[in-house]
Amino acid sequence: MASKVLQAIYTDDDILMEAVKSVRANKYHIEEVYTPFPVHGLDKAMGLKETRLAITAFLYGIVGLVVATAMMNFIMIEDWPQNIGGKPSFSFIENMPSFVPIMFELTVFFAAHLMVITFYMRSKLWPFKKAENPDLRTTDDRFLMEISVNEKNHKELTDLVYNSGATEIKLKDN
């Protein structure tokens, strides 16, 4: 049997939020919700886990700090020591105050650039990827909720979604 999804279209974000809560309360699985703008609290209403992207950003910042420290130690202390402004060139610790801006900049640089790459990989947004939006109106003024259905619960789910304020309901093969 092919898997099917019920697509319910809403005109207001508040109605959508109540519908998501109602569908989740009745133990149905929401596949995806498409919105034209971010809806505050929708992730919690859908029961999505919190993201771990902040942890990766911190780890990428640590990598940037380590690279900056190793790079400056090698360049300014070991490989080509120079007397710049009377600063001693034989100790990294004595020169660290002058290295702090570089360490900060490389920390931010690594965290930002590696986070962009991680976000694109995690969300599968590759360059030249075809859009997967099931209804173009969701980029303008409509909200779409996709719910997994089977033959047994099709009628009661349709009634539930219609009573929750959906303006359109479609049954599609997934």
Side-chain angles (χ1 to χ4, degrees):
M1 178 174 100
S3 61
K4 294 186 177 193
V5 291
L6 185 87
Q7 293 180 344
I9 296 180
Y10 296 88
T11 55
D12 186 49
D13 57 332
D14 294 327
I15 297 171
L16 172 74
M17 281 293 288
E18 292 305 316
V20 166
K21 290 175 185 175
S22 170
V23 168
R24 291 260 306 151
N26 285 300
K27 307 283 191 246
Y28 292 107
H29 176 67
I30 298 173
E31 291 288 330
E32 189 65 68
V33 176
Y34 297 91
T35 63
F37 54 83
V39 177
H40 180 70
L42 185 60
D43 52 344
K44 295 222 187 310
M46 288 178 62
L48 299 177
K49 291 189 275 183
E50 284 194 27
T51 180
R52 294 184 304 257
L53 285 177
I55 296 168
T56 59
F58 178 74
L59 294 175
Y60 293 152
I62 297 283
V63 169
L65 182 65
V66 168
V67 167
T69 303
M71 179 187 75
M72 289 181 300
N73 185 53
F74 178 74
I75 292 171
M76 299 300 290
I77 306 301
E78 294 175 18
D79 186 45
W80 196 277
Q82 298 178 33
N83 186 351
I84 300 171
K87 294 183 175 106
S89 59
F90 55 83
S91 171
F92 180 81
I93 297 298
E94 291 179 22
N95 286 312
M96 190 143 95
S98 62
F99 293 156
V100 166
I102 300 166
M103 293 163 67
F104 172 77
E105 290 298 328
L106 278 179
T107 299
V108 172
F109 179 85
F110 270 67
H113 285 80
L114 291 174
M115 276 306 300
V116 168
I117 293 168
T118 301
F119 174 75
Y120 284 148
M121 288 173 55
R122 182 71 181 105
S123 60
K124 296 180 179 81
L125 289 174
W126 310 112
F128 310 110
K129 182 178 189 260
K130 188 178 180 303
E132 295 177 2
N133 198 348
D135 192 333
L136 287 179
R137 293 177 293 175
T138 60
T139 61
D140 187 26
D141 63 347
R142 296 288 189 259
F143 304 86
L144 186 138
M145 177 171 47
E146 287 187 340
I147 309 161
S148 299
V149 296
N150 58 35
E151 297 302 323
K152 298 176 188 173
N153 66 3
H154 174 270
K155 177 70 173 129
E156 60 189 45
L157 179 59
T158 304
D159 292 340
L160 173 70
V161 170
Y162 183 71
N163 291 334
S164 70
T167 57
E168 259 180 73
I169 299 173
K170 300 178 202 169
L171 186 64
K172 298 244 177 158
D173 289 329
N174 199 7

